[in-house]
């Protein structure tokens, strides 16, 4: 396994007292696996992702990556936050190489790697543009390429499509799924959209309302390896959708 989450708890202090955000979360993720985390709003999905990213420490339990406990930000992990967070005044090139720049690794071979990614994913002719000149879907691909540029093995995606309209979202989800599979990455996707989770992941982890507890992990063996578009037509799609929907306590 590449990520091992063991008894993770998170408490936040607030003026009204302690808020339990996560309670006793335990599961592990295999190398190359695509897993989604779903659950009602406020159940701790983003909190779990930021703990895996090393941006926050758990209040209890621990997370190991490749057998070592997480201590702060880890170069093996690429984190793509909810908003694409491209800088509007920087060109696409300066945006996608930002992570490399911050890490002092904007050398020739990394630049070549980013150029190949841009070409492969249809963005080569836009490197001199600023983000405002690109569509929402293209900006999302840029955000993913920026995350891939530093060579992480694990990608953390927090509601990456929520700013996109429904049609764009379907095709960008398809794109991003292919990019992640082609590049052989392990991916953890947080979403509140059950159809998105079923259409992209190998397994779906369902959290309860706050404090988030792991209710179930649903494996979808019939859908493994199929593109999101194909899955939406698959006879098992609604079976998994309904099963996960029944698990999520939307009344909370
Ligand atoms: P989700 O992503 O599932 O919607 P979050 O992980 O963002 O949920 O938040 C889980 C709970 O923890 C929420 O009740 C939220 O208000 C609370 N929370 C998140 N971050 C903080 C923080 N920095 N300080 C206090 N409470 C927080
Ligand atoms: Mg969130």
């Amino acid at each position: 396994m590449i990520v091992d989450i063991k008894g993770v708890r998170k408490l936040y202090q607030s003026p009204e007292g302690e808020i339990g955000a996560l309670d006793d979360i335990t599961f592990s993720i295999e190398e190359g696996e695509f897993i989604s985390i779903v659950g009602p709003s406020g159940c701790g999905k983003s909190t779990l992702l930021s703990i895996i990213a090393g941006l926050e420490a758990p209040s209890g339990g621990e997370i190991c990556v490749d057998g070592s406990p997480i201590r702060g930000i880890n170069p093996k992990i690429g984190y793509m936050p909810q908003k694409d967070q491209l800088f509007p005044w920087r060109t696409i090139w300066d945006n996608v190489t930002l992570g490399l720049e911050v890490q002092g690794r904007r050398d020739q071979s990394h630049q070549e790697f980013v150029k190949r990614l841009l070409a492969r994913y249809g963005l080569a002719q836009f490197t001199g543009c600023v983000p405002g000149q690109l569509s929402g879907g293209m900006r999302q691909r840029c955000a993913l390429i920026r995350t891939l540029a530093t060579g992480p093995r694990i990608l953390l995606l927090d509601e990456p499509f929520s700013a996109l309209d429904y049609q764009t979202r379907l095709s960008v989800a398809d794109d991003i799924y292919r990019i992640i599979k082609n590049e052989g990455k392990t991916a953890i996707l947080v979403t509140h959209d059950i159809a998105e989770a079923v259409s992209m992941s190998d397994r779906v982890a369902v959290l309860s309302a706050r404090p988030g507890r792991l209710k179930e992990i649903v494996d979808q063996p019939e859908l493994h390896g199929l593109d999101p578009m194909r899955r939406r037509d698959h006879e098992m799609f609604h079976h998994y959708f309904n099963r996960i929907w029944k698990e999520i306590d939307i009344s909370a």
Side-chain angles (χ1 to χ4, degrees):
M1 70 194 71
I2 187 163
V3 180
D4 195 13
I5 303 167
K6 293 181 280 195
V8 165
R9 290 169 207 280
K10 182 70 182 179
L11 294 170
Y12 286 113
Q13 307 301 329
S14 82
E16 293 79 44
E18 280 187 339
I19 297 175
L22 291 170
D23 190 20
D24 199 19
I25 305 287
T26 299
F27 64 98
S28 55
I29 299 152
E30 300 298 326
E31 174 117 51
E33 192 176 25
F34 198 134
I35 192 157
S36 290
I37 300 172
V38 300
S41 176
C43 75
K45 301 182 295 296
S46 295
T47 300
L48 182 57
L49 224 54
S50 63
I51 295 172
I52 301 171
L55 299 171
E56 286 187 73
S59 311
E62 71 172 3
I63 299 181
C64 292
V65 172
D66 271 340
S68 313
I70 292 173
R71 304 259 180 269
I73 292 171
N74 183 332
K76 288 176 189 166
I77 296 178
Y79 179 44
M80 192 168 134
Q82 183 163 340
K83 272 205 71 213
D84 67 29
Q85 292 185 359
L86 299 174
F87 290 106
W89 61 87
R90 286 190 144 222
T91 63
I92 294 307
W93 175 255
D94 286 342
N95 265 293
V96 293
T97 56
L98 182 67
L100 292 173
E101 190 181 314
V102 170
Q103 294 184 5
R105 290 160 65 205
R106 206 158 97 156
D107 53 64
Q108 195 66 39
S109 78
H110 282 99
Q111 292 195 36
E112 289 302 323
F113 173 62
V114 173
K115 281 182 192 158
R116 279 202 300 280
L117 289 174
L118 288 165
R120 199 180 310 157
Y121 302 116
L123 293 163
Q125 63 274 48
F126 299 97
T127 53
C129 298
V130 292
Q133 295 172 284
L134 270 57
S135 68
M138 290 163 91
R139 285 201 296 272
Q140 216 59 33
R141 267 182 279 154
C142 287
L144 183 64
I145 289 173
R146 177 171 66 188
T147 310
L148 291 170
T150 55
R153 287 165 56 204
I154 304 161
L155 297 172
L156 308 178
L157 313 168
D158 195 351
E159 310 249 9
F161 313 118
S162 53
L164 305 173
D165 64 74
Y166 185 68
Q167 322 303 330
T168 310
R169 196 179 170 121
L170 291 182
S171 75
V172 175
D174 218 49
D175 269 2
I176 300 249
Y177 173 87
R178 286 208 199 103
I179 297 172
I180 289 170
K181 287 292 168 191
N182 283 344
E183 305 298 322
K185 304 298 180 188
T186 304
I188 307 175
L189 170 81
V190 160
T191 178
H192 60 263
D193 181 331
I194 301 171
E196 195 167 282
V198 175
S199 69
M200 293 186 78
S201 41
D202 300 315
R203 289 189 297 156
V204 181
V206 184
L207 300 189
S208 70
R210 195 182 73 205
R213 295 190 182 88
L214 185 63
K215 290 191 89 171
E216 199 189 347
I217 298 193
V218 177
D219 192 4
Q220 320 184 104
E222 298 89 347
L223 305 180
H224 287 186
L226 297 177
D227 298 347
M229 293 292 190
R230 288 254 193 78
R231 293 188 191 201
R232 287 173 192 267
D233 289 333
H234 196 282
E235 57 183 16
M236 293 303 283
F237 184 85
H238 288 99
H239 166 80
Y240 288 115
F241 182 98
N242 287 327
R243 193 160 148 208
I244 293 162
W245 186 62
K246 284 185 191 121
E247 277 298 322
I248 294 182
D249 185 6
I250 45 169
S251 60

